[in-house]
Every structure is written in structure tokens, then in C-alpha cells.
Amino acid sequence: MMSLAIDDHGSLWIWGNCPQANDDGEFCLSSSSVPLPVWNFHGHTVVKVACGNEHVVAVVSAGETYTGGDDLVCYAWGNNNHGQLGLGDKESRPRPEVISTFNEESSWVVYEVACGAFHTAILTNKKSYNQEIESKCWTFGLGENGQLGHGTSKSICLPQAVDALPRDAFLVSLDCGLFHTSVVSSAGDVWSWGMEKGLGLCPDASFTGTDAGDAYVPLRIRAPETNGFRFAGPIQVACGAAHTVLVSDNGYKLWAWGRGRSGVLGRGQTADSYVPSTVIWPPLDTVFKNEKLKTDDPISKTEDHEVGKTVEMDHKLSAATEELNFLKTKLTLMERYAGLLHISIFRKQLDERRLPQSLQDSGVFDIRKELENVLENADDEELTRMEMFYRSMLSTVKDRLMKRRVRELVKECLVSLSTGRQHHSP
């Protein structure tokens, strides 16, 4: 129901059905067709983010920048009707709130997050000073299909470790489907649990008594290639609504299993698969072999000799290159600032092909005039989105004088616009 993205500066953007607060401060969903910045994390670096049907989980630096250490905090917000926010209750949150289990003082640091429709899964490392690595998978939220992996179909509101996973397994990848969860270890072990035996599609389920055809604890997925349980060179697991894909063999092979509807398993058919099946994929090793032959060619060695003659020229141009890189950095910063300011005011990306009229006519960007034009031309839906954005932005302004000045500026624009309409009315 929503999309999120982290830009290269660590800022978070959201669009679609965005969690917000209404006039009474209560949770609601408000639609936005363009990306909006999540102001709550301004001044921090967002490292990871995942979203479910109506909830979001983000891993954010405790300080302004993230240097790869343990200074990360986990936040959640949105719909919480099944406890999928991990905050200990089922009250929805319009704004990000820290999950206390993974706050700055926690002994665990989050390195991966994933969301199902109404549940959340998290991978953590234990903070340790003796270099001992211990990873854990935590789940919370809706559990009626066993997607939490705790041995029951109960839903829970606080993060709980999946104890059935081996303690010595270092988990490298995690993802959730609508109602199932999958993890991969560095050794190549793959576990799935939840709906339909973790999408083993219940080949042995009786659907009678207590056997609902779901897996309440992690099931180890067999690797067909070796008739064992370990996949060679595991990299990442990804889940669709009702299927799972594994990237292995250091990126040379794809495995898929689960529902095959619409051809999502990549096998050239739409049949379901009870076990991992290889995805039809181009033979990339031929391309790499050709590249290696090129590097061993005598002509390549001659070219290397010619390249050596340009070293002196490269030194002469180094000063100019450094200055160019400096200017590029400045330009990137200016473009980011201009883009952020533009989308904050006009609700759309800055595009040089459609510059504001005041900037085209005089070379001076009259923000007040452009804002009045936007308000005058906006329909009811657009005005609602602008009001949502204004409330969200204002709630993050801590300085009272600045907050008052923003309110005055908006009020002046509205009064000016109202006066103009009365002046032109018959």
C-alpha cells in the first residue's frame, strides 16, 4: 500500500498510502502520489527500511552520520492492529517510535529488517567486545499462519527470538512474504516457516485436527542439487506474496519455490513447486570467460604500454581534476537542497523543462508567488495532501520562533490569495 526509498544521503522518502496524524492527532492513512521526505529522521542517516501493508520499520543512526558501528536505533510506525510494530500494544502510530528492544541501550544491533502483510522480522548481532559473533532472528505481529516461527499461531506485540533456529548459525539474509518468513545462513542453510509449510505447499498436510497445513516452526529447505540441505555460495533470499527466491552459487544461480501463478517461479510454466527449482537464467560464465581472454591478449599488453606514456599528462591534469570533483560535490549538494525545497513547497520533482514561471520570466524565484499559484490551482485532493504535508513538517520543527514564522508565512499566503480572489470576483 506504500513505497519507501533511502537516497544516497541517508534521507527517507515515502509515497502511496502514508501513515499520518489527522487533526485530532490520531492515526490515519493519507494518499500521496509523489515521494515525501520523512522529516522525523532529519539530521540522521536511515540505513534500512521495510514496509508491510500499512506499517513501516526503519533502522536509523543514533547520531547524524553512520560509520558502520553499533549506533543504530530501530523505529516503527503505521497500523498496529496485530502488534506488528513491536511496541508492546496494538495502538497504531502516526509517527515513528523507537522499538525499545532495539534502542540505543540494547545489547543487540539490527542489521536487517523485513515486513510481511501484518508481521515483522528482524536480524540482529549481539554487541560484543570479544569479537564473538551471535546473530538472532526476531519476529512479532500476526501469527495465525505460524509466520512468527514460535511454535504457535498466536500473535505477539513485542519482539521475540525464533529459538528453533540454531544458535551457531550466522544469518545473512531475511525476507517475508504475505504470511511466511525465510532466512539464509552464511553456510548455505535456508529455513522457511508460516503459510503452507513455509510455501512447501503442504504436500503432507492432512488439514484435519491440529494440522492446518502451516509451519509454526522453521523448516529447513532441502537443496535438490546435492540432495542435502546446504546451498552453495548463498547470497540473498527474497519473498513474493506466496513464493520464495534464493540467489546462490555466488550469484550464478537462482532457485524458486511456492506458488507458480503468473510464472513467478521463472521455470517457463505456471505450475506450483513443492521444492526449490532452478530459474531459467542466461549462462553468464561465457561472458566472463571472454573478458578474461581479452586481458591475456598481447594487444592488451601493448595498450598498457601506451597508457604508461600518459602518466605525465595525468599528473598535470590532477589539479584540474581535484577542482572539478570539488565543484561536482558542491553541485550535488545544491541540487539536493533545491530538489528537497521544491518538492516540499510544490509537491513535485524539480524539472528544468518545467521551471516555475517567475524564474523563467525574471530570473528571480518568487516563492511566495509560486506558492499562491499552487494553492489557487490545486483541487481538493491536492489541498488535502498539502495540508497533510504541512502538519507533518510543522510537527518536526522544534524552534518555537521558527514554527511561528512558518505559520505566519502560510497565513500571509492564504490571506493574500483570499484577498486576490475577492478583488477579481464580479
Side-chain angles (χ1 to χ4, degrees), residues 211-298:
D211 187 359
D214 297 326
Y216 296 141
V217 294
L219 297 179
R220 201 173 175 191
I221 304 298
R222 183 176 290 275
E225 196 171 43
T226 61
N227 291 322
F229 285 99
R230 287 189 169 173
F231 293 80
I235 295 180
Q236 187 176 3
V237 67
C239 297
H243 74 287
T244 305
V245 177
L246 174 70
V247 184
S248 66
D249 198 14
N250 296 314
Y252 281 89
K253 186 166 288 187
L254 293 175
W255 298 90
W257 64 95
R259 292 290 179 201
R261 191 174 304 167
S262 302
V264 298
L265 301 184
R267 304 167 58 209
Q269 54 183 285
T270 59
D272 301 339
S273 179
Y274 291 85
V275 296
S277 56
T278 54
V279 177
I280 300 174
W281 198 252
L284 298 180
D285 42 284
T286 303
V287 179
F288 288 119
K289 285 178 182 177
N290 290 339
E291 290 296 325
K292 187 177 186 302
L293 287 174
K294 288 180 183 179
T295 60
D296 294 336
D297 197 292

Coordinates of all heavy atoms in Angstrom, one line a residue, residues 211-298:
D211 N -3.6 -30.1 12.3 CA -2.7 -29.8 11.1 C -3.4 -28.9 10.2 O -4.2 -29.3 9.3 CB -2.4 -31.2 10.4 CG -1.4 -31.0 9.3 OD1 -1.0 -29.9 9.1 OD2 -1.0 -32.0 8.7
A212 N -3.1 -27.6 10.3 CA -3.7 -26.6 9.4 C -2.9 -26.4 8.1 O -3.3 -25.6 7.3 CB -3.8 -25.2 10.1
G213 N -1.9 -27.2 7.9 CA -1.1 -27.1 6.7 C 0.0 -26.0 6.7 O 0.5 -25.7 5.7
D214 N 0.2 -25.4 7.9 CA 1.2 -24.3 8.1 C 2.3 -24.8 8.9 O 2.2 -25.8 9.7 CB 0.5 -23.1 8.7 CG -0.6 -22.5 7.9 OD1 -0.5 -22.6 6.6 OD2 -1.6 -22.0 8.4
A215 N 3.4 -24.1 8.9 CA 4.6 -24.5 9.6 C 4.8 -23.4 10.8 O 5.0 -22.3 10.5 CB 5.9 -24.5 8.8
Y216 N 4.6 -23.9 12.0 CA 4.7 -23.0 13.2 C 6.2 -22.8 13.7 O 6.4 -21.9 14.5 CB 3.9 -23.5 14.3 CG 2.4 -23.5 14.0 CD1 1.5 -24.5 14.4 CD2 1.8 -22.5 13.2 CE1 0.2 -24.5 14.1 CE2 0.5 -22.5 12.9 CZ -0.3 -23.5 13.3 OH -1.7 -23.5 13.0
V217 N 7.1 -23.6 13.2 CA 8.5 -23.5 13.5 C 9.3 -23.6 12.2 O 8.8 -24.1 11.2 CB 9.0 -24.6 14.4 CG1 8.3 -24.5 15.8 CG2 8.7 -26.0 13.9
P218 N 10.5 -23.1 12.2 CA 11.3 -23.1 10.9 C 11.5 -24.5 10.4 O 11.8 -25.4 11.1 CB 12.6 -22.5 11.4 CG 12.3 -21.6 12.5 CD 11.2 -22.4 13.2
L219 N 11.3 -24.6 9.1 CA 11.6 -25.9 8.4 C 12.8 -25.7 7.5 O 12.9 -24.7 6.7 CB 10.4 -26.3 7.5 CG 9.1 -26.6 8.2 CD1 8.0 -26.9 7.2 CD2 9.3 -27.7 9.2
R220 N 13.7 -26.6 7.5 CA 15.0 -26.5 6.7 C 14.7 -26.9 5.3 O 14.1 -28.0 5.1 CB 16.1 -27.3 7.3 CG 17.5 -26.9 6.9 CD 18.5 -27.7 7.7 NE 19.8 -27.5 7.3 CZ 20.9 -28.2 7.7 NH1 20.7 -29.2 8.5 NH2 22.1 -27.9 7.2
I221 N 15.0 -26.1 4.3 CA 14.7 -26.4 2.9 C 15.8 -27.2 2.3 O 17.0 -26.9 2.4 CB 14.6 -25.1 2.1 CG1 13.5 -24.2 2.8 CG2 14.2 -25.3 0.7 CD1 12.1 -24.7 2.8
R222 N 15.4 -28.3 1.7 CA 16.4 -29.2 1.1 C 16.9 -28.7 -0.2 O 16.2 -28.1 -1.0 CB 15.7 -30.6 0.8 CG 16.7 -31.7 0.3 CD 16.0 -33.0 0.2 NE 15.8 -33.6 1.5 CZ 16.6 -34.3 2.2 NH1 17.9 -34.5 1.7 NH2 16.3 -34.8 3.3
A223 N 18.2 -28.8 -0.5 CA 18.8 -28.4 -1.7 C 18.8 -29.5 -2.7 O 19.6 -30.5 -2.6 CB 20.3 -27.9 -1.4
P224 N 18.0 -29.5 -3.8 CA 17.9 -30.6 -4.7 C 19.2 -30.9 -5.4 O 19.4 -32.1 -5.8 CB 16.9 -30.0 -5.7 CG 16.1 -29.0 -5.0 CD 17.1 -28.3 -4.1
E225 N 20.1 -30.0 -5.6 CA 21.3 -30.2 -6.4 C 22.2 -31.2 -5.7 O 22.9 -32.0 -6.3 CB 22.0 -28.9 -6.6 CG 23.1 -28.9 -7.7 CD 23.6 -27.5 -8.0 OE1 23.8 -26.7 -7.0 OE2 23.7 -27.2 -9.2
T226 N 22.3 -31.1 -4.4 CA 23.2 -32.0 -3.6 C 22.4 -33.1 -2.8 O 23.1 -33.9 -2.2 CB 24.0 -31.2 -2.7 OG1 23.1 -30.5 -1.7 CG2 24.8 -30.1 -3.4
N227 N 21.1 -33.1 -2.9 CA 20.3 -34.0 -2.0 C 20.6 -33.8 -0.6 O 20.3 -34.7 0.2 CB 20.5 -35.4 -2.4 CG 20.0 -35.8 -3.8 OD1 18.9 -35.3 -4.2 ND2 20.7 -36.6 -4.6
G228 N 21.1 -32.6 -0.2 CA 21.4 -32.3 1.1 C 20.6 -31.0 1.5 O 19.6 -30.8 0.9
F229 N 21.1 -30.3 2.5 CA 20.3 -29.2 3.0 C 21.1 -27.8 2.8 O 20.5 -26.8 3.1 CB 20.0 -29.3 4.5 CG 18.9 -30.3 4.8 CD1 19.2 -31.6 5.2 CD2 17.6 -29.9 4.6 CE1 18.2 -32.5 5.4 CE2 16.6 -30.8 4.9 CZ 16.9 -32.1 5.3
R230 N 22.3 -27.9 2.2 CA 23.0 -26.6 2.1 C 23.2 -26.2 0.6 O 23.5 -27.0 -0.2 CB 24.4 -26.7 2.7 CG 24.3 -26.7 4.3 CD 25.6 -26.6 4.9 NE 25.4 -26.3 6.4 CZ 26.4 -26.3 7.3 NH1 27.7 -26.6 6.9 NH2 26.2 -26.0 8.5
F231 N 22.9 -25.0 0.4 CA 23.0 -24.4 -1.0 C 24.4 -23.8 -1.0 O 24.8 -23.0 -0.1 CB 22.0 -23.3 -1.2 CG 20.6 -23.9 -1.4 CD1 19.8 -24.2 -0.2 CD2 20.0 -24.1 -2.6 CE1 18.6 -24.7 -0.3 CE2 18.7 -24.6 -2.7 CZ 18.0 -24.9 -1.6
A232 N 25.1 -24.0 -2.1 CA 26.5 -23.4 -2.3 C 26.5 -21.9 -2.6 O 25.7 -21.5 -3.3 CB 27.2 -24.2 -3.4
G233 N 27.4 -21.2 -1.9 CA 27.5 -19.8 -2.2 C 26.2 -19.0 -2.0 O 25.9 -18.2 -2.9
P234 N 25.5 -19.1 -0.8 CA 24.3 -18.3 -0.7 C 24.6 -16.8 -0.6 O 25.6 -16.4 0.0 CB 23.8 -18.8 0.7 CG 25.0 -19.2 1.4 CD 26.0 -19.7 0.4
I235 N 23.7 -16.0 -1.2 CA 23.8 -14.6 -1.1 C 22.6 -13.9 -0.5 O 22.7 -13.2 0.5 CB 24.0 -14.0 -2.6 CG1 25.3 -14.5 -3.1 CG2 24.0 -12.5 -2.5 CD1 25.6 -14.0 -4.5
Q236 N 21.4 -14.2 -1.0 CA 20.2 -13.5 -0.6 C 18.9 -14.3 -0.8 O 18.9 -15.0 -1.8 CB 20.1 -12.1 -1.3 CG 19.0 -11.2 -0.7 CD 19.0 -9.8 -1.4 OE1 19.8 -9.6 -2.3 NE2 18.2 -9.0 -1.0
V237 N 18.0 -14.1 0.0 CA 16.6 -14.6 -0.1 C 15.6 -13.5 -0.3 O 15.8 -12.4 0.3 CB 16.2 -15.5 1.0 CG1 16.0 -14.7 2.3 CG2 15.0 -16.3 0.7
A238 N 14.6 -13.7 -1.2 CA 13.6 -12.7 -1.4 C 12.3 -13.4 -1.5 O 12.2 -14.5 -2.1 CB 13.9 -11.9 -2.6
C239 N 11.2 -12.8 -0.9 CA 9.9 -13.4 -0.9 C 8.9 -12.6 -1.6 O 8.8 -11.4 -1.5 CB 9.4 -13.6 0.5 SG 10.4 -14.7 1.5
G240 N 8.1 -13.2 -2.5 CA 6.9 -12.6 -3.1 C 5.7 -12.9 -2.1 O 5.9 -13.4 -1.0
A241 N 4.5 -12.6 -2.6 CA 3.3 -12.8 -1.8 C 3.3 -14.3 -1.3 O 3.0 -14.6 -0.2 CB 2.1 -12.4 -2.6
A242 N 3.5 -15.2 -2.3 CA 3.4 -16.6 -1.9 C 4.4 -17.5 -2.6 O 4.2 -18.6 -3.1 CB 2.0 -17.1 -2.3
H243 N 5.6 -16.9 -2.8 CA 6.7 -17.7 -3.3 C 8.0 -17.2 -2.8 O 8.1 -16.1 -2.2 CB 6.7 -17.7 -4.8 CG 7.2 -16.5 -5.5 ND1 6.4 -15.3 -5.5 CD2 8.3 -16.1 -6.1 CE1 7.0 -14.4 -6.1 NE2 8.2 -14.8 -6.5
T244 N 9.1 -17.9 -2.9 CA 10.4 -17.6 -2.4 C 11.5 -17.8 -3.5 O 11.4 -18.7 -4.2 CB 10.8 -18.4 -1.1 OG1 9.7 -18.3 -0.2 CG2 12.1 -18.0 -0.5
V245 N 12.4 -16.8 -3.5 CA 13.6 -16.9 -4.5 C 14.9 -16.8 -3.7 O 15.0 -16.0 -2.8 CB 13.5 -15.8 -5.5 CG1 14.7 -15.9 -6.4 CG2 12.2 -15.9 -6.3
L246 N 15.8 -17.7 -4.0 CA 17.1 -17.7 -3.4 C 18.2 -17.5 -4.4 O 18.2 -18.2 -5.5 CB 17.4 -19.1 -2.7 CG 18.8 -19.3 -2.1 CD1 19.0 -18.4 -0.9 CD2 19.0 -20.8 -1.8
V247 N 19.1 -16.5 -4.2 CA 20.3 -16.3 -5.0 C 21.4 -17.0 -4.4 O 21.7 -16.8 -3.2 CB 20.6 -14.8 -5.1 CG1 21.8 -14.6 -6.1 CG2 19.4 -14.0 -5.6
S248 N 22.1 -17.9 -5.1 CA 23.2 -18.7 -4.6 C 24.3 -18.9 -5.6 O 24.2 -18.2 -6.7 CB 22.6 -20.1 -4.1 OG 22.2 -20.9 -5.2
D249 N 25.2 -19.8 -5.3 CA 26.4 -20.0 -6.2 C 27.1 -18.7 -6.5 O 27.5 -18.5 -7.7 CB 25.9 -20.7 -7.5 CG 27.1 -21.4 -8.2 OD1 28.2 -21.5 -7.6 OD2 26.9 -21.8 -9.4
N250 N 27.2 -17.9 -5.5 CA 27.8 -16.5 -5.6 C 27.2 -15.7 -6.7 O 27.9 -14.9 -7.4 CB 29.3 -16.7 -5.8 CG 30.0 -17.4 -4.6 OD1 29.8 -17.0 -3.5 ND2 30.8 -18.4 -4.9
G251 N 25.9 -15.9 -6.9 CA 25.2 -15.0 -7.9 C 25.0 -15.7 -9.2 O 24.3 -15.1 -10.1
Y252 N 25.5 -16.9 -9.4 CA 25.3 -17.6 -10.7 C 24.0 -18.4 -10.8 O 23.7 -18.9 -11.9 CB 26.5 -18.5 -11.0 CG 27.7 -17.8 -11.4 CD1 28.7 -17.3 -10.5 CD2 28.0 -17.6 -12.8 CE1 29.8 -16.6 -10.9 CE2 29.1 -16.9 -13.2 CZ 30.0 -16.4 -12.3 OH 31.1 -15.8 -12.7
K253 N 23.3 -18.6 -9.7 CA 22.2 -19.5 -9.8 C 21.0 -18.9 -9.0 O 21.2 -18.3 -7.9 CB 22.5 -20.9 -9.3 CG 21.4 -21.9 -9.5 CD 21.9 -23.3 -9.3 CE 22.8 -23.7 -10.5 NZ 23.2 -25.2 -10.4
L254 N 19.8 -19.1 -9.5 CA 18.6 -18.8 -8.8 C 17.7 -20.0 -8.6 O 17.5 -20.8 -9.5 CB 17.8 -17.7 -9.6 CG 18.4 -16.3 -9.8 CD1 17.5 -15.5 -10.8 CD2 18.5 -15.6 -8.5
W255 N 17.2 -20.1 -7.3 CA 16.2 -21.1 -7.0 C 14.9 -20.5 -6.6 O 14.9 -19.4 -6.0 CB 16.7 -22.0 -5.9 CG 18.0 -22.7 -6.1 CD1 19.3 -22.3 -5.9 CD2 18.1 -24.0 -6.6 NE1 20.2 -23.2 -6.2 CE2 19.5 -24.3 -6.7 CE3 17.2 -25.0 -7.1 CZ2 20.0 -25.5 -7.2 CZ3 17.7 -26.2 -7.6 CH2 19.1 -26.5 -7.6
A256 N 13.8 -21.1 -7.0 CA 12.5 -20.6 -6.6 C 11.5 -21.7 -6.3 O 11.6 -22.8 -6.8 CB 11.9 -19.7 -7.8
W257 N 10.6 -21.4 -5.3 CA 9.6 -22.4 -4.9 C 8.4 -21.7 -4.4 O 8.4 -20.5 -4.0 CB 10.2 -23.4 -3.9 CG 10.6 -22.9 -2.6 CD1 9.9 -22.8 -1.4 CD2 11.9 -22.3 -2.3 NE1 10.7 -22.3 -0.4 CE2 11.9 -22.0 -0.9 CE3 13.1 -22.1 -3.0 CZ2 13.0 -21.4 -0.3 CZ3 14.2 -21.5 -2.4 CH2 14.1 -21.2 -1.0
G258 N 7.3 -22.4 -4.3 CA 6.0 -21.9 -3.8 C 5.0 -21.8 -4.9 O 5.0 -22.6 -5.9
R259 N 4.1 -20.8 -4.9 CA 3.0 -20.7 -5.9 C 3.6 -20.2 -7.2 O 4.4 -19.3 -7.2 CB 2.0 -19.7 -5.4 CG 1.1 -20.1 -4.2 CD 0.2 -21.2 -4.6 NE -0.6 -21.6 -3.5 CZ -1.2 -22.8 -3.4 NH1 -1.1 -23.7 -4.4 NH2 -2.0 -23.1 -2.4
G260 N 3.2 -20.9 -8.3 CA 3.7 -20.6 -9.6 C 2.9 -19.7 -10.5 O 3.2 -19.4 -11.6
R261 N 1.8 -19.2 -9.9 CA 0.8 -18.4 -10.7 C 1.5 -17.2 -11.4 O 2.4 -16.6 -10.8 CB -0.3 -17.9 -9.7 CG -1.5 -17.3 -10.4 CD -2.6 -17.0 -9.4 NE -2.9 -18.1 -8.6 CZ -3.6 -18.1 -7.5 NH1 -4.0 -17.0 -7.0 NH2 -3.9 -19.2 -6.8
S262 N 1.1 -16.9 -12.6 CA 1.7 -15.8 -13.4 C 3.1 -16.1 -13.8 O 3.8 -15.2 -14.3 CB 1.5 -14.5 -12.7 OG 0.2 -14.2 -12.4
G263 N 3.6 -17.3 -13.6 CA 5.0 -17.6 -14.0 C 6.1 -17.0 -13.1 O 7.2 -16.8 -13.5
V264 N 5.7 -16.7 -11.8 CA 6.7 -16.0 -10.9 C 7.9 -16.8 -10.6 O 8.9 -16.3 -10.1 CB 6.0 -15.5 -9.6 CG1 4.9 -14.5 -9.9 CG2 5.4 -16.7 -8.9
L265 N 7.8 -18.2 -10.8 CA 9.0 -19.0 -10.4 C 10.0 -19.1 -11.5 O 11.1 -19.6 -11.3 CB 8.5 -20.4 -10.1 CG 7.5 -20.6 -9.0 CD1 7.2 -22.0 -8.7 CD2 8.0 -19.9 -7.7
G266 N 9.7 -18.5 -12.7 CA 10.7 -18.4 -13.7 C 11.1 -19.8 -14.3 O 12.3 -19.9 -14.8
R267 N 10.2 -20.7 -14.3 CA 10.5 -22.1 -14.9 C 9.9 -22.3 -16.3 O 10.0 -23.4 -16.8 CB 9.9 -23.1 -13.9 CG 10.4 -23.0 -12.5 CD 9.6 -23.9 -11.5 NE 9.6 -25.3 -11.9 CZ 8.6 -26.2 -11.7 NH1 7.5 -25.7 -11.1 NH2 8.7 -27.4 -12.1
G268 N 9.3 -21.3 -16.8 CA 8.7 -21.4 -18.1 C 7.3 -22.0 -18.1 O 6.8 -22.4 -19.1
Q269 N 6.7 -22.0 -16.9 CA 5.4 -22.5 -16.7 C 4.7 -21.9 -15.5 O 5.4 -21.1 -14.8 CB 5.4 -24.1 -16.5 CG 6.3 -24.5 -15.4 CD 6.4 -26.0 -15.3 OE1 5.5 -26.7 -14.8 NE2 7.5 -26.6 -15.8
T270 N 3.5 -22.2 -15.2 CA 2.8 -21.6 -14.1 C 2.5 -22.6 -13.0 O 1.7 -22.2 -12.1 CB 1.5 -20.9 -14.6 OG1 0.6 -21.9 -15.2 CG2 1.7 -19.8 -15.6
A271 N 3.0 -23.8 -13.0 CA 2.7 -24.8 -12.0 C 3.4 -24.4 -10.7 O 4.5 -23.7 -10.7 CB 3.2 -26.1 -12.5
D272 N 2.8 -24.9 -9.6 CA 3.4 -24.7 -8.3 C 4.7 -25.6 -8.1 O 4.8 -26.6 -8.8 CB 2.4 -25.0 -7.2 CG 1.2 -24.1 -7.2 OD1 1.3 -23.0 -7.8 OD2 0.2 -24.5 -6.7
S273 N 5.6 -25.3 -7.2 CA 6.7 -26.1 -7.0 C 6.8 -26.4 -5.5 O 6.9 -25.5 -4.7 CB 8.0 -25.4 -7.4 OG 9.1 -26.2 -7.2
Y274 N 6.9 -27.7 -5.1 CA 7.0 -28.1 -3.7 C 8.4 -27.9 -3.2 O 8.6 -27.8 -2.0 CB 6.5 -29.5 -3.6 CG 5.1 -29.8 -3.8 CD1 4.6 -30.0 -5.1 CD2 4.2 -29.8 -2.7 CE1 3.2 -30.2 -5.3 CE2 2.8 -30.0 -2.9 CZ 2.3 -30.2 -4.2 OH 1.0 -30.4 -4.4
V275 N 9.3 -27.9 -4.1 CA 10.8 -27.8 -3.7 C 11.5 -26.8 -4.5 O 10.9 -26.4 -5.6 CB 11.5 -29.2 -3.9 CG1 10.9 -30.3 -2.9 CG2 11.4 -29.7 -5.3
P276 N 12.6 -26.3 -4.1 CA 13.4 -25.3 -4.9 C 13.7 -25.9 -6.3 O 14.1 -27.0 -6.5 CB 14.6 -25.1 -4.1 CG 14.3 -25.4 -2.7 CD 13.3 -26.5 -2.8
S277 N 13.3 -25.0 -7.3 CA 13.6 -25.4 -8.7 C 14.5 -24.3 -9.3 O 14.3 -23.1 -9.0 CB 12.3 -25.6 -9.5 OG 11.5 -24.4 -9.4
T278 N 15.3 -24.7 -10.3 CA 16.2 -23.7 -10.8 C 15.5 -22.7 -11.8 O 14.6 -23.2 -12.5 CB 17.4 -24.3 -11.6 OG1 16.8 -25.2 -12.6 CG2 18.3 -25.1 -10.7
V279 N 15.8 -21.5 -11.7 CA 15.2 -20.5 -12.6 C 16.0 -20.4 -13.9 O 17.2 -20.5 -13.9 CB 15.3 -19.1 -11.9 CG1 14.7 -18.0 -12.8 CG2 14.5 -19.1 -10.6
I280 N 15.3 -20.4 -15.0 CA 15.9 -20.3 -16.3 C 16.6 -19.0 -16.4 O 16.0 -17.9 -16.4 CB 14.9 -20.5 -17.4 CG1 14.2 -21.8 -17.3 CG2 15.5 -20.4 -18.8 CD1 13.0 -22.0 -18.3
W281 N 17.9 -19.1 -16.6 CA 18.8 -17.8 -16.5 C 19.9 -17.9 -17.5 O 20.4 -19.0 -17.7 CB 19.3 -17.7 -15.1 CG 19.8 -16.3 -14.7 CD1 21.1 -15.9 -14.6 CD2 19.0 -15.2 -14.5 NE1 21.1 -14.5 -14.3 CE2 19.8 -14.1 -14.2 CE3 17.6 -14.9 -14.5 CZ2 19.3 -12.8 -14.0 CZ3 17.1 -13.7 -14.2 CH2 18.0 -12.6 -13.9
P282 N 20.3 -16.8 -18.1 CA 21.3 -16.8 -19.1 C 22.7 -17.3 -18.5 O 23.0 -17.0 -17.4 CB 21.5 -15.3 -19.5 CG 20.1 -14.7 -19.2 CD 19.7 -15.4 -18.0
P283 N 23.5 -18.1 -19.3 CA 24.8 -18.6 -18.8 C 25.8 -17.5 -18.8 O 26.5 -17.2 -19.8 CB 25.1 -19.7 -19.9 CG 24.4 -19.2 -21.1 CD 23.1 -18.5 -20.7
L284 N 25.9 -16.8 -17.7 CA 26.8 -15.6 -17.6 C 28.3 -16.0 -17.7 O 29.1 -15.2 -18.0 CB 26.5 -14.8 -16.4 CG 25.1 -14.2 -16.2 CD1 25.0 -13.5 -14.9 CD2 24.8 -13.3 -17.4
D285 N 28.7 -17.3 -17.3 CA 30.1 -17.6 -17.3 C 30.8 -17.5 -18.6 O 32.0 -17.2 -18.7 CB 30.3 -19.0 -16.7 CG 29.3 -20.0 -17.3 OD1 28.1 -19.9 -16.8 OD2 29.6 -20.8 -18.2
T286 N 30.0 -17.6 -19.7 CA 30.6 -17.5 -21.0 C 31.1 -16.1 -21.2 O 32.2 -15.8 -21.8 CB 29.6 -17.8 -22.1 OG1 29.2 -19.2 -21.9 CG2 30.3 -17.7 -23.5
V287 N 30.3 -15.1 -20.8 CA 30.7 -13.7 -20.9 C 32.0 -13.4 -20.1 O 32.9 -12.7 -20.6 CB 29.5 -12.8 -20.5 CG1 30.0 -11.3 -20.6 CG2 28.3 -13.0 -21.3
F288 N 32.0 -13.9 -18.9 CA 33.2 -13.6 -18.1 C 34.5 -14.3 -18.6 O 35.6 -13.7 -18.5 CB 32.9 -14.1 -16.6 CG 32.0 -13.3 -15.9 CD1 30.8 -13.8 -15.4 CD2 32.2 -12.0 -15.6 CE1 29.9 -13.1 -14.7 CE2 31.3 -11.2 -14.9 CZ 30.1 -11.7 -14.5
K289 N 34.3 -15.5 -19.3 CA 35.5 -16.1 -19.9 C 36.0 -15.3 -21.0 O 37.2 -15.1 -21.2 CB 35.1 -17.5 -20.4 CG 34.9 -18.5 -19.2 CD 34.5 -19.9 -19.8 CE 34.3 -20.9 -18.7 NZ 33.7 -22.2 -19.2
N290 N 35.1 -14.7 -21.8 CA 35.5 -13.8 -22.9 C 36.3 -12.6 -22.4 O 37.3 -12.2 -23.0 CB 34.3 -13.4 -23.8 CG 33.7 -14.6 -24.5 OD1 34.4 -15.6 -24.8 ND2 32.5 -14.5 -24.9
E291 N 35.8 -12.1 -21.3 CA 36.5 -10.9 -20.7 C 37.9 -11.3 -20.3 O 38.9 -10.5 -20.4 CB 35.7 -10.3 -19.6 CG 34.4 -9.7 -20.0 CD 34.6 -8.4 -20.9 OE1 35.6 -7.7 -20.6 OE2 33.8 -8.2 -21.8
K292 N 38.1 -12.5 -19.7 CA 39.4 -12.9 -19.2 C 40.3 -13.1 -20.4 O 41.5 -12.7 -20.3 CB 39.3 -14.2 -18.4 CG 40.6 -14.6 -17.8 CD 40.4 -15.9 -16.9 CE 41.6 -16.2 -16.2 NZ 42.8 -16.4 -17.0
L293 N 39.8 -13.6 -21.5 CA 40.7 -13.8 -22.7 C 41.2 -12.5 -23.2 O 42.3 -12.4 -23.7 CB 39.9 -14.5 -23.8 CG 39.7 -16.0 -23.5 CD1 38.7 -16.6 -24.6 CD2 41.0 -16.8 -23.5
K294 N 40.4 -11.5 -23.1 CA 40.8 -10.1 -23.6 C 42.0 -9.6 -22.8 O 42.9 -9.0 -23.3 CB 39.6 -9.2 -23.5 CG 38.5 -9.4 -24.6 CD 37.4 -8.4 -24.4 CE 36.3 -8.7 -25.4 NZ 35.2 -7.7 -25.2
T295 N 41.9 -9.9 -21.5 CA 43.0 -9.3 -20.6 C 44.3 -10.0 -20.9 O 45.4 -9.5 -20.6 CB 42.6 -9.4 -19.1 OG1 42.4 -10.8 -18.8 CG2 41.3 -8.7 -18.9
D296 N 44.3 -11.3 -21.4 CA 45.5 -12.1 -21.6 C 46.1 -11.8 -23.0 O 47.1 -12.4 -23.4 CB 45.2 -13.6 -21.4 CG 44.9 -13.9 -20.0 OD1 45.3 -13.1 -19.1 OD2 44.3 -14.9 -19.7
D297 N 45.4 -11.1 -23.9 CA 45.8 -10.9 -25.2 C 47.0 -10.0 -25.3 O 47.2 -9.0 -24.6 CB 44.6 -10.2 -26.0 CG 44.8 -10.3 -27.5 OD1 45.8 -9.7 -28.0 OD2 44.0 -11.0 -28.1
P298 N 48.0 -10.3 -26.2 CA 49.2 -9.4 -26.4 C 48.9 -8.0 -26.7 O 49.6 -7.1 -26.3 CB 50.0 -10.1 -27.5 CG 49.5 -11.5 -27.5 CD 48.1 -11.5 -27.1

